[in-house]
Amino acid sequence: MKGLAAGIGVVFLSPILIAGTGMMLASSADAVQSNGSFSSCLTDIDTSKVAEQVTKILDGASGKDVHVEGLDLPAEQVPNAQTIVAAGLSLDVPKKGQIIALATAMQESRLRNLNYGDRDSLGLFQQRPSQGWGSAQQIRDPVYASEQFYKHLLKVSGWQQMTVTQAAQAVQKSGLPDAYAQWENLATALQAAIAKTFPSGANDTDGKDADQGKQPSPGTTGCAPDQDGSGFGLIPEGSVPKGYKIPKDADPKARKAITWAMQQLGTLYQWGGSCTNAHGPDPMGRCDCSSLMQQAYAHAGVTLTRTTYTQVNEGKAVPPAQLRPGDLVFSRGTAARPEHVGMYMGEGLVIEAPRTTKPVRITPIKDWTILAARRVI
């Protein structure tokens, strides 16, 4: 497979170079610079349609009659995506890692092998010779660049439990760390379509969790307004967004926990508070983030420990892209020792006791950097 990846890199790199740097500078620079603040989410991706269009390109189609949402020059971009996937397969990188690599290259170069960038950044991943990624010539080799990305990714502790954005940022250290998320759905569809063209590629999984790498299911943490909570607009602190209802398919215990937590909306945060009488006169009866979780589930018949440091080990881990109502989401600090916890409510919303001077409130999940998620029922 190593030879396969290298061969693909040679085959598809050459046409780009032959096309001339003038064309690349014009088309790629305009696209990357004009889309640098790209914010529309690529959702409802038709994987079968993507596979059909990708196959046309790989079979030699010119690209004039090929359309893949999010790719403006598929004849150039699809072969580069294939090189990234091939390199991942050759290194036995799980499917999720390949998706992270594709999403990163989409954000950094729009899947184009650029011969320029910010300062000395070059290539698919905008890697910098001055930062130890290799020589300029090496970085312009899509196979080498892809392998270097994967080698750095595999050194990131716990990358498979991170979101695509978190993992990509851990490698790239970008000035726009949240930008990678917008490409996850398209990266997932491309990986699935391209992997099928390689022996055993379609059967590649993440090993520990075969569901990792799949497209986010509706109501989880995707970037569509109905998935990330942004569709509710500005949510006044302590209020329930207009139109929100606990999802009908929520587990009964989760429903009870969410309902009880919502009854505490508007009560002020109290660090170390027990959350046993949030509306009462004693400040220590109010809630902090972890006591809100503990007491909400206590009223649903589920016993939780008291702090975020221990709650992060409750139940079982779940990928942030597969959240269900009632799941605990953790942020701040580290994945092993998070400083904050909230409860996912469905429809892209989280209920939390945020910090001193702030009330128990509902916030969109797009405002969260999720370090870990746990299902406790």
Side-chain angles (χ1 to χ4, degrees):
M1 184 60 76
K2 178 76 171 181
L4 172 63
I8 291 173
V10 171
V11 169
F12 290 116
L13 176 60
S14 298
I16 298 173
L17 295 176
I18 292 172
T21 57
M23 177 278 289
M24 182 176 293
L25 279 169
S27 63
S28 299
D30 292 344
V32 174
Q33 291 174 6
S34 65
N35 292 333
S37 58
F38 185 88
S39 60
S40 62
C41 292
L42 296 173
T43 57
D44 298 324
I45 297 293
D46 186 337
T47 301
S48 60
K49 182 66 173 179
V50 170
E52 176 186 340
Q53 300 300 302
V54 165
T55 300
K56 288 182 180 179
I57 290 293
L58 298 181
D59 285 344
S62 66
K64 294 181 179 179
D65 299 322
V66 173
H67 174 72
V68 179
E69 184 180 4
L71 302 183
D72 53 352
L73 290 176
E76 177 183 350
Q77 294 162 308
V78 170
N80 285 330
Q82 188 188 46
T83 298
I84 292 171
V85 172
L89 292 173
S90 72
L91 295 174
D92 293 324
V93 176
K95 176 168 49 177
K96 181 173 182 179
Q98 298 168 34
I99 291 169
I100 293 167
L102 288 168
T104 301
M106 288 177 197
Q107 174 58 28
E108 297 292 350
S109 69
R110 299 300 185 268
L111 279 173
R112 293 165 185 166
N113 191 28
L114 302 179
N115 62 357
Y116 68 97
D118 178 50
R119 287 169 285 190
D120 58 340
S121 300
L122 296 167
L124 291 174
F125 298 90
Q126 290 292 278
Q127 295 156 338
R128 298 178 60 193
S130 64
Q131 300 299 310
W133 286 93
S135 68
Q137 183 178 6
Q138 288 175 319
I139 291 172
R140 289 294 316 289
D141 176 352
V143 176
Y144 174 91
S146 299
E147 291 179 343
Q148 286 300 305
F149 178 86
Y150 287 127
K151 288 175 181 178
H152 282 72
L153 175 65
L154 296 175
K155 291 178 181 178
V156 175
S157 178
W159 70 268
Q160 291 203 61
Q161 283 71 53
M162 295 180 180
T163 64
V164 166
T165 290
Q166 291 166 349
Q169 176 64 5
V171 175
Q172 298 293 106
K173 298 177 175 59
S174 168
L176 298 171
D178 296 325
Y180 301 106
Q182 64 190 318
W183 303 106
E184 181 174 359
N185 285 355
L186 178 56
T188 301
L190 282 175
Q191 191 281 335
I194 293 170
K196 292 178 181 178
T197 67
F198 296 117
S200 302
N203 297 322
D204 175 61
T205 67
D206 282 351
K208 293 182 179 179
D209 188 343
D211 289 331
Q212 290 184 2
K214 291 184 179 180
Q215 294 189 42
S217 57
T220 59
T221 59
C223 59
D226 63 337
Q227 296 174 323
D228 67 3
S230 60
F232 290 100
L234 181 64
I235 304 172
E237 290 190 335
S239 68
V240 179
K242 183 178 180 180
Y244 169 77
K245 293 182 180 180
I246 300 174
K248 294 180 179 179
D249 61 351
D251 183 282
K253 291 183 178 179
R255 181 178 295 276
K256 288 183 179 180
I258 293 170
T259 298
W260 189 90
M262 289 171 64
Q263 292 170 357
Q264 317 314 312
L265 285 169
T267 61
L268 284 178
Y269 174 98
Q270 176 62 50
W271 186 84
S274 65
C275 203
T276 52
N277 188 12
H279 295 275
D282 182 2
M284 296 311 294
R286 299 173 189 163
C287 310
D288 64 14
C289 65
S290 55
S291 65
L292 177 63
M293 304 299 104
Q294 182 189 50
Q295 291 303 314
Y297 265 112
H299 285 78
V302 177
T303 300
L304 297 182
T305 51
R306 175 64 181 83
T307 71
T308 58
Y309 305 143
T310 53
Q311 289 177 359
V312 75
N313 297 313
E314 302 272 6
K316 65 178 182 179
V318 293
Q322 296 175 21
L323 293 177
R324 296 177 185 171
D327 287 347
L328 304 186
V329 291
F330 297 84
S331 67
R332 305 175 197 164
T334 66
R337 195 173 174 80
E339 301 289 341
H340 187 57
V341 62
M343 184 183 298
Y344 185 64
M345 304 171 62
E347 297 193 33
L349 299 175
V350 179
I351 189 166
E352 63 170 347
R355 61 180 183 275
T356 302
T357 75
K358 292 291 184 178
V360 174
R361 65 186 183 183
I362 294 172
T363 55
I365 202 165
K366 70 179 181 63
D367 293 343
W368 284 65
T369 298
I370 301 176
L371 299 174
R374 307 291 294 191
R375 186 160 298 149
V376 297
I377 49 176

